[in-house]
Amino acid sequence: MDRLKEKVAVVTGAAQGIGAAYAKGLASQGARVVVCDLVDTSAVVEEINGDGGSAMGVIADVTDDDSLNNLVAEVETSFGPIEILVNNAAIFASIQFKPFTQLSNEEWDAVMRVNARGPFQATKAVLPSMQKNGRGKIINISSGTFLRGAPMFCHYVASKGAVVGQTRALSRELGASNVCVNCIMVGLTESEGVAASKQYDMARSANHNMRVFKRDMMPDDLLGAIYFLASEDSDFISGQCINVDGGALNY
């Protein structure tokens, strides 16, 4: 399909899990996809290219300005200016549930650094490239835990609330550059990390009970929202949050 034909899309945290699904999905719509992560991206890149898509991998740290600036320079040289940024990189599956009174300052700062500061830094780095295009789509990834609260998970929930705040504030700032800034609120999704962790068993059962659709949420369930926000279909939409959770939350 050619919905995103020749558009250059960067997906952070895309070497595995939901990020990899985003990258492969965008490529299936014709985008030239940059698979960005701290770890080896070759498996996802090879799968996309082997299926007839166009992808390149870049090792980059979303909390390091030099690393991000190098990413942008490399992408522009190989693919051209960036039009789509999916701020997906985050600390999630490795977090151990615990009361907030047992969270150390170091644990708090580590989650905030990646989950809240990472999208801020990545957006700053990519914006000049979007301005060369005269347009852009920034898709931030938040979480439904921010809408309902989630116990034993305070630093993660707070970090995803910060993503919502950035989305709303930056949409106001970047409209003059014809850049849309929107957000997807993701429900509990069966990524590799979640599927492998016993601590999510209770949350999975609770989510099944809340959802309109009584099943696990899979990474591919998020792709429709990604396609919409990355494409021209959403050109007059900015500062919005789309809740994708199978109908668990109705607000």
Side-chain angles (χ1 to χ4, degrees), residues 65-122:
D65 288 338
D66 289 339
S67 181
L68 287 166
N69 290 334
N70 289 336
L71 176 146
V72 172
E74 188 173 345
V75 172
E76 289 191 334
T77 297
S78 299
F79 278 173
I82 298 162
E83 186 166 342
I84 300 161
L85 170 64
V86 182
N87 278 316
N88 170 72
I91 297 174
F92 171 64
S94 62
I95 294 175
Q96 296 299 307
F97 295 159
K98 62 175 68 173
F100 87 98
T101 53
Q102 295 179 17
L103 286 174
S104 68
N105 293 342
E106 291 74 20
E107 287 175 293
W108 178 277
D109 289 346
V111 169
M112 285 292 180
R113 179 172 177 264
V114 177
N115 295 12
R117 206 180 85 197
F120 161 74
Q121 289 182 250

Side-chain angles (χ1 to χ4, degrees), residues 90 127 142 155 233:
L127 178 61
S142 183
H155 50 345
D233 293 346

Side-chain angles (χ1 to χ4, degrees), residues 117-213:
R117 206 180 85 197
F120 161 74
Q121 289 182 250
T123 298
K124 276 203 302 182
V126 168
L127 178 61
S129 192
M130 292 183 169
Q131 289 170 326
K132 292 176 185 178
N133 270 324
R135 62 187 182 277
K137 297 297 183 84
I138 296 169
I139 305 170
N140 292 326
I141 305 299
S142 183
S143 166
T145 59
F146 172 66
L147 295 175
R148 68 175 187 273
M152 318 295 277
F153 220 34
C154 184
H155 50 345
Y156 177 80
V157 176
S159 73
K160 289 303 187 179
V163 172
V164 174
Q166 287 182 57
T167 299
R168 292 173 176 169
L170 290 178
S171 70
R172 296 289 183 181
E173 290 194 41
L174 301 184
S177 295
N178 198 30
V179 173
C180 302
V181 188
N182 291 293
C183 178
I184 297 176
M185 314 286 282
V186 177
L188 182 65
T189 306
E190 292 297 307
S191 64
E192 293 100 319
V194 169
S197 177
K198 292 292 185 183
Q199 74 172 348
Y200 288 102
D201 288 350
M202 186 176 296
R204 183 181 294 109
S205 176
N207 274 271
H208 282 190
N209 290 334
M210 288 189 294
R211 286 175 183 156
V212 172
F213 307 114

